[in-house]
C-alpha cells in the first residue's frame, strides 16, 4: 500500500530503438556550446566555463508534435544531441565519463526566445523561456552497444524542407565527457539523467503547420510538426 496522499505522478520516459523505455530523472541543457551559435546570440565564442539550465523531465515529448505554446510570438528550434545516463555519481573524471552513458538521441530544445530575452535583460531565470510543456521533443534513444559514442557527424535541422541549422558534433566546445565531468562536480548525477548537448547556429522561429526534421548522422532522424 502506498502512503502517497495524492496519486504519484508518472515517471516520464523516452522510447528506445530496441522497444524498451528509458525513464527520465533530470534534464540538463548546456548553453552556447557551438561557437557559431554563441556568436549569433551576441556572445563570446571562446571556451569559457560551460553553463547549464534545466528543463523538467515531463517537458520531454516523443509524440512527434509540438503544440505552439502560449505567451510568445517567437518560438525557436534548437537541434541537439541527447545523452542518456545509465549511472552517475559525483566528481566523475573525463576519462571515466562515457562509461556512464546508456545511449544517444536527437532532441529539440524549443525556446520561447522572446521570453528568454526578457529574462536575460532582467537577470532572471530562464525557465519561462525553456521549461514549458512539450518544450523538449525527442526521438528514440539508441544504445551505445549499437552506435558507440558519436563525437563527430553532421547535425542539422530542416523546416519544411529548407536547411536552417547545420554543424558537426566535432564543433562542440565542451565534449560529452567534459560536460558529464563538469556537471558531476556540482550535482550528483544518476541513472535517468539526460543532457541536451547544445545547438549549432541557425536557430530561428517556427509557426503552426511547420514540419521540423532534425537529424544527427549515426544517431537518428526526428520529425516534429508544429500544431
Ligand atoms: Mn539549447
Amino acid at each position: 500500500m502506498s502512503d502517497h496522499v495524492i496519486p504519484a505522478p508518472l515517471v516520464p520516459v523516452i522510447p528506445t530503438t530496441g522497444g524498451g523505455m528509458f525513464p527520465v530523472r533530470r534534464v540538463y541543457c548546456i548553453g552556447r556550446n557551438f561557437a557559431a551559435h554563441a556568436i549569433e546570440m551576441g556572445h563570446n565564442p571562446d571556451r569559457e566555463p560551460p553553463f547549464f539550465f534545466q528543463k523538467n523531465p515531463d517537458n520531454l515529448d516523443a509524440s512527434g508534435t509540438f503544440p505552439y505554446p502560449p505567451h510568445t510570438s517567437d518560438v525557436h528550434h534548437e537541434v541537439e544531441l541527447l545523452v542518456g545516463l545509465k549511472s552517475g555519481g559525483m566528481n566523475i573524471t573525463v576519462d571515466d565519463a562515457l562509461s556512464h552513458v546508456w545511449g544517444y538521441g536527437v532532441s529539440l530544445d524549443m525556446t520561447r526566445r522572446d521570453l528568454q530575452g526578457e529574462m536575460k535583460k532582467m537577470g532572471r531565470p530562464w525557465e519561462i523561456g525553456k521549461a514549458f510543456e512539450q518544450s523538449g521533443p525527442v526521438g528514440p534513444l539508441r544504445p551505445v552497444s549499437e552506435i558507440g559514442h558519436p563525437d563527430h557527424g553532421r547535425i542539422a535541422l530542416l523546416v519544411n524542407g529548407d536547411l536552417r541549422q547545420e554543424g558537426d558534433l566535432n564543433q562542440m566546445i565542451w565534449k560529452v565527457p567534459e560536460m558529464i565531468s563538469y556537471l558531476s562536480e556540482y550535482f550528483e548525477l544518476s541513472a535517468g539523467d539526460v543532457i541536451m548537448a547544445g545547438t549549432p547556429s541557425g536557430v530561428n522561429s517556427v509557426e503552426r503547420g511547420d514540419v521540423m526534421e532534425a537529424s544527427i548522422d549515426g544517431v537518428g532522424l526526428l520529425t516534429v510538426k508544429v500544431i
Side-chain angles (χ1 to χ4, degrees):
M1 275 293 285
S2 164
D3 60 359
H4 295 149
V5 297
I6 59 168
L10 292 175
V11 174
V13 293
I14 302 172
T16 71
T17 52
M21 291 289 173
F22 179 96
V24 180
R25 191 185 79 126
R26 294 184 185 170
V27 183
Y28 294 101
C29 309
I30 189 170
R32 297 171 208 150
N33 203 27
F34 285 75
H37 174 60
I39 291 167
E40 77 178 350
M41 297 302 290
H43 298 283
N44 188 331
D46 294 342
R47 184 171 153 115
E48 295 171 343
F51 71 92
F52 293 85
F53 59 90
Q54 285 174 271
K55 288 183 187 274
N56 300 296
D58 68 343
N59 295 154
L60 301 183
D61 177 56
S63 69
T65 56
F66 172 73
Y68 199 93
H71 290 290
T72 180
S73 57
D74 193 24
V75 176
H76 279 203
H77 51 72
E78 298 189 358
V79 57
E80 312 209 359
L81 178 69
L82 185 70
V83 184
L85 302 187
K86 64 181 178 185
S87 55
M90 293 201 70
N91 301 314
I92 296 168
T93 64
V94 171
D95 285 348
D96 185 43
L98 290 182
S99 71
H100 295 283
V101 177
W102 186 87
Y104 297 89
V106 180
S107 62
L108 293 170
D109 168 15
M110 299 303 295
T111 302
R112 288 193 278 216
R113 192 72 74 201
D114 41 4
L115 299 187
Q116 182 199 25
E118 288 172 26
M119 294 303 109
K120 281 184 184 175
K121 247 182 261 167
M122 292 190 283
R124 289 182 180 169
W126 287 8
E127 278 87 351
I128 201 168
K130 289 287 194 179
F132 54 91
E133 311 320 314
Q134 291 168 273
S135 59
V138 293
L141 282 179
R142 292 187 70 182
V144 168
S145 57
E146 256 181 52
I147 59 169
H149 297 281
D151 60 3
H152 66 281
R154 183 175 183 258
I155 175 169
L157 183 122
L158 284 68
V159 176
N160 304 329
D162 295 332
L163 184 63
R164 290 268 191 97
Q165 292 191 259
E166 188 173 31
D168 192 292
L169 295 181
N170 68 13
Q171 297 166 335
M172 285 165 50
I173 297 171
W174 292 87
K175 310 302 182 190
V176 172
E178 294 172 324
M179 279 188 265
I180 292 170
S181 178
Y182 189 91
L183 275 169
S184 76
E185 292 178 22
Y186 293 86
F187 305 101
E188 182 165 3
L189 299 179
S190 180
D193 291 351
V194 301
I195 301 168
M196 297 174 81
T199 198
S201 60
V203 299
N204 210 329
S205 56
V206 291
E207 305 295 337
R208 283 187 187 86
D210 285 348
V211 175
M212 301 181 284
E213 289 176 273
S215 63
I216 303 175
D217 277 0
V219 177
L221 171 71
L222 166 65
T223 302
V224 178
K225 180 164 189 182
V226 184
I227 58 173

